[in-house]
Amino acid sequence: MRRRPLVLLATAALMLVGTPAFAAGKAAPPTGDPARATLLARATLPAYTPAPGPPTGAFSDPNNGMTPPYPSQLVLGISSMLPDGKGAFWAMPDNGFGTKGNSVDFLLRLYHFTPHWETARGGAGTIDVGQFLSLRDPDHKIPFKIVNDGTADRLLTGGDFDVEAVTRTPDGSMWVGDEFGPFLLHFDSTGKLLQAPIAHPSLKSPNSPTSADGEPTTVQGSRGFEALASSPDGRFLYPSVEGRLTDDANPFRRYIYEFDTQKNQYTDRSWQYRTDGEDYRIADMQSLDANRAILIEREDDEGPKATFKRVYLIDRRKIDADGYLVKTEVADLLNLRNPAHIGSDDPAGGYGLGDPFKFPLQSVEALLPLPGNRIAVMQDNNFPDSAGRVPGKTDATEMIVIGFPKR
């Protein structure tokens, strides 16, 4: 038997504090002129950042100078984040190394990130990693076999779920969007699973553990629930598929669904979102109030080849003549004002560190509204594969804060 990972932190220490994710930005970013979006702060985490726990990466491939297996767990890039209410964040990596098969030894967690920002006044531009929350199923809520099935803690791994989005409701519990099912996963504030994974009635991925032989799938592999927002009162969740459905002839259409947490079931409401490119993805989404949300839409390129990574505002009450949500551009992440030249002295160097500042990283997947007309953005570095800043060098995990002039 593999040695037991570091013991779980005490429940009291693990409690997620602060307001729900949606409440972090009570005022929506202005929607007038995205060209005025300005880089206010930046911090980075080294691509290779060890974390406590057993070795990982035994089934992954080497790339960009990184050679597995790795002697401990790794933090890796971030797909979603929550505020802790004290100026720091809980950051969630996805399933690890990209597939079910190569991520069975990667433990699913949220890490506590404390950024030491580089701003116009200077600063370290680094991120401290503190405690972590282990996602786990000790009460055997999952009805199918998992990697750590026979252990007491039943720590969840990237071989079980591909966790891509997290939101917190006012009761303190966390809801996580998964791509493998795709499922909604409901955890308490310590990371313990509260109920069986919830499947959508009409969506199924080829990676679903409940797929029967020959059963048709409606979701492309790794295109499940990439984004997940919640209503301010926690009553409704809004999961979104990342890519088009397999039976949809329109390659520009993405769907946002509604889930009722009180009834514990999907409603009959959904919304159509039209991307600007055929293979563009909805990468994250966060609510601003009961009707409005901001989301990331992106392509899958990096470095100088990156052409489209943008933040849009949507309002579920506003539908165009063709039945799609009206979207308003908030920021172009490849064209941010940077008069203070934040990041220009980064010793690692790289493409896009100037004025304008570019965030040309492949998987820009984490978004959070902040007080004061600001948003935070992070990326998944697809360790060790993405090299958007410096060719041949695995990307660090970057966190930026973007500010907007007040209306």
Side-chain angles (χ1 to χ4, degrees), residues 37-39 331-338 354-357 400 402:
T38 302
L39 181 69
D332 181 351
L333 300 179
L334 297 175
N335 186 27
L336 296 174
R337 295 179 67 251
N338 186 19
D355 185 16
F357 178 88
I400 59 173
I402 303 166

Side-chain angles (χ1 to χ4, degrees), residues 202-284:
S202 65
L203 300 180
K204 182 157 286 190
S205 160
N207 293 313
S208 175
T210 64
S211 290
D213 290 342
E215 182 180 1
T217 59
T218 52
V219 177
Q220 302 177 69
S222 193
R223 295 291 185 273
F225 290 154
E226 186 76 25
L228 178 67
S230 60
S231 62
D233 60 3
R235 171 72 185 269
F236 297 105
L237 305 178
Y238 300 100
S240 171
V241 290
E242 181 179 19
R244 74 174 182 90
L245 301 184
T246 58
D247 57 357
D248 192 345
N250 184 346
F252 297 90
R253 180 161 39 212
R254 310 291 179 262
Y255 283 98
I256 300 170
Y257 302 95
E258 184 177 69
F259 180 83
D260 188 328
T261 62
Q262 290 186 11
K263 296 182 178 180
N264 210 45
Q265 64 184 28
Y266 282 90
T267 73
D268 60 0
R269 301 178 73 199
S270 65
W271 293 263
Q272 299 177 88
Y273 177 92
R274 179 169 42 209
T275 57
D276 285 42
E278 290 190 8
D279 195 37
Y280 289 6
R281 298 103 188 268
I282 295 179
D284 198 15

Side-chain angles (χ1 to χ4, degrees), residues 339-381:
H341 291 268
I342 295 167
S344 298
D345 295 327
D346 188 330
Y351 174 74
L353 298 176
D355 185 16
F357 178 88
K358 300 178 185 295
F359 206 61
L361 309 173
Q362 181 179 15
S363 297
V364 183
E365 294 184 352
L367 174 68
L368 195 67
L370 300 175
N373 282 20
R374 301 174 301 151
I375 59 174
V377 177
M378 292 188 77
Q379 109 282 13
D380 175 3
N381 66 355

Side-chain angles (χ1 to χ4, degrees), residues 145-165:
K145 188 175 181 180
I146 61 173
V147 172
N148 290 321
D149 207 57
T151 66
D153 293 330
R154 288 169 54 86
L155 299 176
L156 300 179
T157 74
D160 305 314
F161 301 102
D162 186 2
V163 292
E164 294 286 355

